[in-house]
Amino acid sequence: MDLEGTAKAIIAGITARRIAEMSAREAELFRKARPKTQAAIGRGAKGYLGGVPMHWMKDWPTPFPILVERARGAVITDVDGNSLADFCLGDTGSMFGHSPAPVARAIRRQSSRGLTYMLPSDDALAVGLLLEQRFGLPYWQIATTASDANRFALRVARAVTGRPKILVFNGCYHGAVDETMVRMKNGVPINRPGLAGEFRDLTQATRIVEFNDLPALETALRDRDVACVITEPVLTNCCMVQPEPGFHDGLRRMTRETGTLLLIDETHTVSTGLGGYTRRHGLEPDLFVLGKPVAGGVPASVWGMSRDVADRYDAYNRTKETGYSGMGTTLSGNPLQFAAMRGTLEEVMTEANYAHMERLADRLERGLRNAIEGHRLPWHVLRVGARVEFICAPGPLTNGSEAEDAHAPELEAAIHVALVNRGVLIAPFHNMMLISPATTARQVDRLISAFSDIAAALAA
């Protein structure tokens, strides 16, 4: 190993040696603060493949996963008694805080009435009306995850258009939907690196272009064989990329001109405000998907469609061969989901809560930006409503390729562990932070102070 070269290497404005030193120091502090956790899970939990119940739990940059004892509001407490101000919030699943009181009451109420019976409940009737009020589209279906909802919506798009292909933007994330697992490498579409057990060339059914590139989008839609464009309003599950002025207007115009449906996946951008980015910015999707926080942490998702798509799908169903549609799972649409969704939509997902979230998110954004500028780091900060992200590269970024190049995994991992050691938890997969209705100004200031201390140590 070229130690001298490593010592001189610069990553996002910081020497590799300083990053390595911080990583080692903070990892040791993490271990010392968690002897019970280390004994229980430090070498993996018995009975689980890879030592964890879900493989993503190994992706945290900490030496071993945090073993949670309880979570309430915007605080997580581990089995060693360490409390963390939680800005990860289940990577959006608990965006409105852990166990919001209306959702907890709804779960208790429904638990004595039955958990699943494949029939509607009174809560189901209320939720149908609430979804239209909140998100605008008139017709809805319920699934268990956003991955499922996206899969089902794309199946409808192909059915009503008779077209085989979909289109995604480079850097997109739509859960575990196979067709979306493509990337561009040196301008060439490829299967997303790292896919397990995938023997198909996914690029045969999927077109891919860069986000914000309207000329490329126009070319990709020209043959009129694309059933649906599926996109987030903002690229989020990478270094965040905002739409440039006119992008969404151009996207909607081009899809309409070519008879292509438009699916907006708001699973992450619902942080924007009541009704999500779609309502805030007046988007007009044909299909709409929302998962993660829609039921306050209970696994649930929703997918909606316009009246035109619903009419076309009804006509399709009258003529198609009888048999299983390939949509729906047995536990989807269960009464526990409806009870939790009703509590969330009626009492948690409110204008007042969003106003609180946005106010503190603005405070966090300004605090992080001041720390970055004060220490003269070549980084930047972005915010989408209650969602804030610091990016260890100059900005703004304009597409998925730039977002991928902006990642600094070693540096980001060191910062994440250092934040945990200072009582703050952020999302493990990227530098995302969420404000919930339960988050306090004191917690935000704690995060800003911790981040500033870490930035100072790195930039010294």
Side-chain angles (χ1 to χ4, degrees):
M1 181 182 292
D2 181 1
L3 296 179
E4 183 177 355
T6 300
K8 293 179 180 178
I10 302 295
I11 300 172
I14 311 298
T15 66
R17 171 177 285 177
R18 181 156 292 165
I19 296 169
E21 290 171 349
M22 174 175 281
S23 294
R25 181 172 64 251
E26 298 296 339
E28 184 58 27
L29 288 172
F30 179 91
R31 292 187 185 94
K32 286 183 177 179
R34 291 167 177 81
K36 292 181 181 178
T37 301
Q38 184 164 16
I41 203 171
R43 295 184 178 178
K46 292 183 179 179
Y48 292 111
L49 179 67
V52 289
M54 175 62 188
H55 69 90
W56 280 353
M57 294 179 184
K58 296 178 69 174
D59 290 346
W60 291 87
T62 50
F64 41 83
I66 294 168
L67 196 57
V68 177
E69 183 176 90
R70 64 183 179 277
R72 184 171 301 163
V75 176
I76 280 181
T77 304
D78 67 22
V79 297
D80 290 280
N82 301 296
S83 291
L84 299 170
D86 186 10
F87 291 88
C88 173
L89 296 170
D91 194 25
T92 311
S94 292
M95 189 181 82
F96 299 106
H98 297 288
S99 299
V103 176
R105 287 195 301 269
I107 292 171
R108 286 194 296 270
R109 173 175 57 83
Q110 186 59 47
S111 67
S112 63
R113 300 170 62 185
L115 299 180
T116 188
Y117 28 75
M118 213 165 66
L119 289 166
S121 62
D122 56 349
D123 288 328
L125 304 181
V127 166
L129 299 175
L130 286 164
L131 289 171
E132 182 176 5
Q133 292 169 12
R134 287 287 184 267
F135 305 112
L137 293 174
Y139 296 107
W140 294 87
Q141 289 283 275
I142 308 302
T144 300
T145 68
S147 296
D148 286 340
N150 279 319
R151 272 192 286 264
F152 303 156
L154 289 175
R155 192 174 283 271
V156 167
R158 284 173 162 145
V160 303
T161 63
R163 297 178 179 183
K165 297 183 184 296
I166 68 163
L167 185 143
V168 300
F169 293 105
N170 192 33
C172 71
Y173 180 74
H174 301 288
V177 180
D178 287 351
E179 301 101 306
T180 69
M181 296 291 183
V182 296
R183 287 293 181 268
M184 293 183 72
K185 184 174 183 180
N186 299 322
V188 178
I190 61 170
N191 279 14
R192 181 174 176 170
L195 285 181
E198 183 54 74
F199 58 90
R200 297 165 296 174
D201 179 1
L202 299 175
T203 66
Q204 295 300 303
T206 303
R207 294 231 171 92
I208 181 169
V209 299
E210 292 286 7
F211 197 70
N212 284 320
D213 190 343
L214 289 176
L217 176 65
E218 184 175 28
T219 299
L221 297 180
R222 186 175 296 157
D223 289 342
R224 297 176 181 255
D225 58 354
V226 173
C228 185
V229 173
I230 175 173
T231 186
E232 300 176 276
V234 178
L235 291 187
T236 63
N237 213 60
C238 55
C239 292
M240 201 153 59
V241 179
Q242 294 268 25
E244 293 179 344
F247 173 70
H248 279 295
D249 289 339
L251 170 61
R252 183 66 280 195
R253 176 178 54 80
M254 290 179 190
T255 49
R256 283 178 171 151
E257 287 175 351
T258 57
T260 306
L261 299 184
L262 176 61
L263 190 166
I264 297 292
D265 181 352
E266 286 264 19
T267 298
H268 286 162
T269 53
V270 72
S271 62
T272 306
L274 193 64
Y277 196 101
T278 295
R279 178 168 167 180
R280 174 70 63 87
H281 295 277
L283 305 187
E284 299 178 351
D286 301 297
L287 297 155
F288 180 103
V289 164
L290 173 60
K292 291 192 178 181
V294 70
V298 172
S301 64
V302 298
W303 55 287
M305 65 184 71
S306 68
R307 185 174 303 277
D308 175 66
V309 172
D311 288 345
R312 293 166 68 184
Y313 188 52
D314 183 55
Y316 169 83
N317 278 323
R318 289 197 300 269
T319 59
K320 84 173 183 70
E321 185 178 359
T322 58
Y324 177 46
S325 68
M327 298 184 293
T329 55
T330 303
L331 295 178
S332 292
N334 69 66
L336 185 63
Q337 289 176 323
F338 283 118
M341 278 192 283
R342 184 176 185 178
T344 301
L345 293 167
E346 283 186 339
E347 302 183 64
V348 180
M349 198 179 283
T350 64
E351 291 281 13
N353 278 342
Y354 268 109
H356 169 86
M357 294 155 67
E358 192 148 7
R359 184 169 59 252
L360 289 187
D362 178 71
R363 183 185 186 120
L364 176 58
E365 178 188 18
R366 286 184 285 109
L368 297 179
R369 182 173 289 119
N370 288 340
I372 288 169
E373 292 174 355
H375 297 294
R376 298 181 179 179
L377 293 167
W379 306 353
H380 70 288
V381 181
L382 283 180
R383 178 166 73 87
V384 178
R387 185 184 184 99
V388 182
E389 185 173 318
F390 66 86
I391 298 169
C392 299
L397 307 173
T398 63
N399 58 47
S401 291
E402 291 181 7
E404 184 174 356
D405 291 342
H407 271 299
E410 298 89 350
L411 173 60
E412 292 166 6
I415 294 171
H416 286 219
V417 180
L419 286 171
V420 168
N421 289 336
R422 289 157 178 80
V424 176
L425 186 71
I426 69 173
F429 310 118
H430 34 83
N431 306 318
M432 187 275 291
M433 296 148 284
L434 279 167
I435 303 295
S436 77
T439 305
T440 65
R442 181 174 294 181
Q443 288 174 317
V444 169
D445 291 344
R446 183 176 189 176
L447 172 51
I448 293 169
S449 177
F451 180 85
S452 185
D453 287 347
I454 294 164
L458 289 168

